[in-house]
Amino acid sequence: MILKVYTSVLLLFLVNSVWTRTVRQVYDDLDPDHWSHYTSECPQECFCPPSFPNALYCDNKGLKEIPPIPARIWYLYLQNNQIETLSEKPFVNATHLRWINLNKNKITNSGIESGVLSKLKRLLYLFLEDNELEEVPAPLPVGLEQLRLARNKISRIPEGVFSHLENLTMLDLHQNSLLDSALQSDTFQGLSNLMQLNIAKNSLKKMPLSIPANTLQLFLDNNSIEVIPENYFSAIPKVTFLRLNYNKLSDDGIPPNGFNVSSILDLQLSHNQLTKIPPINAHLEHLHLDHNKIKSVNGTQICPVSITLEEGYGYHGNIPRLRYLRLDGNEIQPPIPLDIMICFRLLQAVVI
């Protein structure tokens, strides 16, 4: 599993590297005599760097409207303005846009002209954080790879809004106003390649339904989740990083083997109401349990495999991979129990 995760990350790195080299080659081959042409068609309110001819910087300009976007632009920076509307007119010639940053504006759903986003056929990255959206905008470009909608007022997700976004790898909805009722069994249908889902800082009381099966990173911090359903993670067999900090999880809300999942490498359960360490898998590498109500730790009980010093365990066989354990903010008194060290031979740091 670790090999698969690292392979995915390496593949993303290589793809980005090839793309970066291609773009840089375009810049290096640019004839300086053409720079005046690029400058002449640059909107007065914006900055068009000659060394980066496919980018348009209109950020921090106090803009209330989007200026006409030249056809050559791939990367559009409009963050930190006063923009309230998205209309089709400024994008008529901008058929090559790959990246739009509209963070920290005043965009509302009613201010988005119908179909304006879906017409940006080549758009890969759309940033709309820190705006005034009350629902996920729709329809969206089918080629999107990242959609960032953090810190809005989103309480609704239109039916089928993600159904055609099979290329989306990252969806960020953290710090919105989502309730359990907003996440139906088909809400994330179509996100077949999603790798990261962030729904932290919302108003969820239950684990969300039907998380895409390929999800690697699931962030649910700062909600009010009390229960982990039985076999919940069997539907997301690749989940590697799981964050449930600042929820209301108690011992009774976790099934006997709720977190005994071989794919999970990083498990964060800080600031909950646990009185004991839940069973974990031998593959787990990082465990955060600080600021719970744990009074003591028994290494023999929490060890994911049977251990005996006489058999020389730890030098042969499947050694538990835990490297980092955080237990501060509980009621545990040092020193660290010896059986913890006997079980977790690879531990590099214990915070207690």
Side-chain angles (χ1 to χ4, degrees):
M1 176 59 203
I2 297 177
L3 179 59
K4 291 182 180 178
V5 173
Y6 290 164
T7 302
S8 299
V9 173
L10 178 60
L11 180 58
L12 287 173
F13 173 77
L14 291 174
V15 170
N16 287 334
S17 298
V18 171
W19 187 15
T20 302
R21 287 197 298 270
T22 302
V23 172
R24 286 177 177 172
Q25 185 177 1
V26 171
Y27 305 152
D28 294 341
D29 293 343
L30 183 63
D31 187 346
D33 293 337
H34 293 166
W35 288 359
S36 59
H37 167 69
Y38 290 126
T39 303
S40 65
E41 65 173 2
C42 182
Q44 292 182 353
E45 309 93 328
C46 306
F47 172 59
C48 300
S51 60
F52 198 2
N54 293 106
L56 180 61
Y57 290 87
C58 307
D59 52 308
N60 297 286
K61 302 295 184 182
L63 300 179
K64 293 186 177 180
E65 296 182 350
I66 299 175
I69 310 303
R72 72 174 190 276
I73 299 303
W74 286 22
Y75 308 99
L76 177 59
Y77 298 88
L78 289 160
Q79 66 270 28
N80 292 300
N81 282 294
Q82 304 293 318
I83 298 169
E84 298 180 358
T85 60
L86 294 181
S87 61
E88 183 177 348
K89 186 176 179 181
F91 299 104
V92 169
N93 296 319
T95 57
H96 296 281
L97 277 174
R98 305 292 202 273
W99 173 303
I100 300 179
N101 189 333
L102 279 158
N103 292 344
K104 295 186 178 180
N105 279 283
K106 296 184 177 181
I107 299 168
T108 62
N109 288 95
S110 60
I112 301 177
E113 185 177 330
S114 178
V116 62
L117 293 173
S118 62
K119 291 178 181 178
L120 302 173
K121 304 294 186 182
R122 300 188 183 185
L123 195 66
L124 302 177
Y125 299 85
L126 177 59
F127 299 170
L128 280 165
E129 298 179 343
D130 296 285
N131 278 278
E132 304 291 331
L133 299 173
E134 295 184 350
E135 64 179 49
V136 175
L140 292 162
V142 296
L144 269 187
E145 294 181 3
Q146 288 192 16
L147 177 60
R148 298 175 183 252
L149 298 169
R151 294 178 298 277
N152 277 274
K153 302 176 181 178
I154 296 173
S155 61
R156 298 184 300 276
I157 301 179
E159 183 178 358
V161 67
F162 303 127
S163 59
H164 300 295
L165 302 186
E166 61 182 24
N167 293 326
L168 199 72
T169 59
M170 196 268 256
L171 174 60
D172 191 345
L173 288 163
H174 90 268
Q175 201 166 332
N176 277 285
S177 303
L178 293 170
L179 299 171
D180 296 318
S181 57
L183 304 180
Q184 300 299 314
S185 59
D186 59 351
T187 295
F188 301 112
Q189 184 175 348
L191 300 179
S192 56
N193 288 298
L194 194 71
M195 297 177 68
Q196 183 186 111
L197 177 60
N198 192 341
I199 325 178
K201 293 188 177 181
N202 278 278
S203 300
L204 304 180
K205 293 183 178 180
K206 301 178 181 179
M207 295 292 285
L209 301 171
S210 300
I211 300 297
N214 284 319
T215 302
L216 296 176
Q217 302 177 344
L218 178 59
F219 303 147
L220 292 165
D221 314 80
N222 292 90
N223 281 284
S224 297
I225 297 170
E226 299 179 357
V227 176
I228 306 295
E230 190 82 33
N231 299 319
Y232 181 84
F233 299 105
S234 63
I236 42 176
K238 297 182 180 180
V239 65
T240 305
F241 302 91
L242 178 62
R243 292 197 334 216
L244 279 159
N245 303 318
Y246 291 95
N247 276 281
K248 296 181 178 180
L249 289 171
S250 64
D251 301 329
D252 294 337
I254 300 176
N257 284 295
F259 295 119
N260 188 0
V261 180
S262 62
S263 65
I264 299 178
L265 303 183
D266 189 298
L267 176 60
Q268 300 190 20
L269 297 169
S270 305
H271 293 271
N272 278 278
Q273 300 171 12
L274 303 174
T275 64
K276 58 184 180 182
I277 298 178
I280 60 175
N281 193 272
H283 290 90
L284 188 68
E285 296 183 2
H286 296 83
L287 178 59
H288 298 246
L289 285 165
D290 54 287
H291 299 89
N292 277 274
K293 299 179 179 180
I294 301 170
K295 294 183 178 180
S296 63
V297 181
N298 187 316
T300 302
Q301 290 180 355
I302 69 171
C303 193
V305 296
S306 177
I307 59 173
T308 58
L309 283 176
E310 291 77 13
E311 295 176 1
Y313 172 79
Y315 300 98
H316 306 282
N318 185 26
I319 304 174
R321 300 178 187 175
L322 194 67
R323 289 171 167 79
Y324 180 90
L325 176 61
R326 185 171 176 182
L327 292 166
D328 56 304
N330 285 282
E331 301 176 32
I332 304 169
Q333 298 298 321
I336 300 167
L338 177 61
D339 51 5
I340 290 285
M341 308 310 295
I342 294 174
C343 173
F344 302 107
R345 300 290 179 93
L346 300 181
L347 264 176
Q348 298 175 357
V350 180
V351 184
I352 193 169

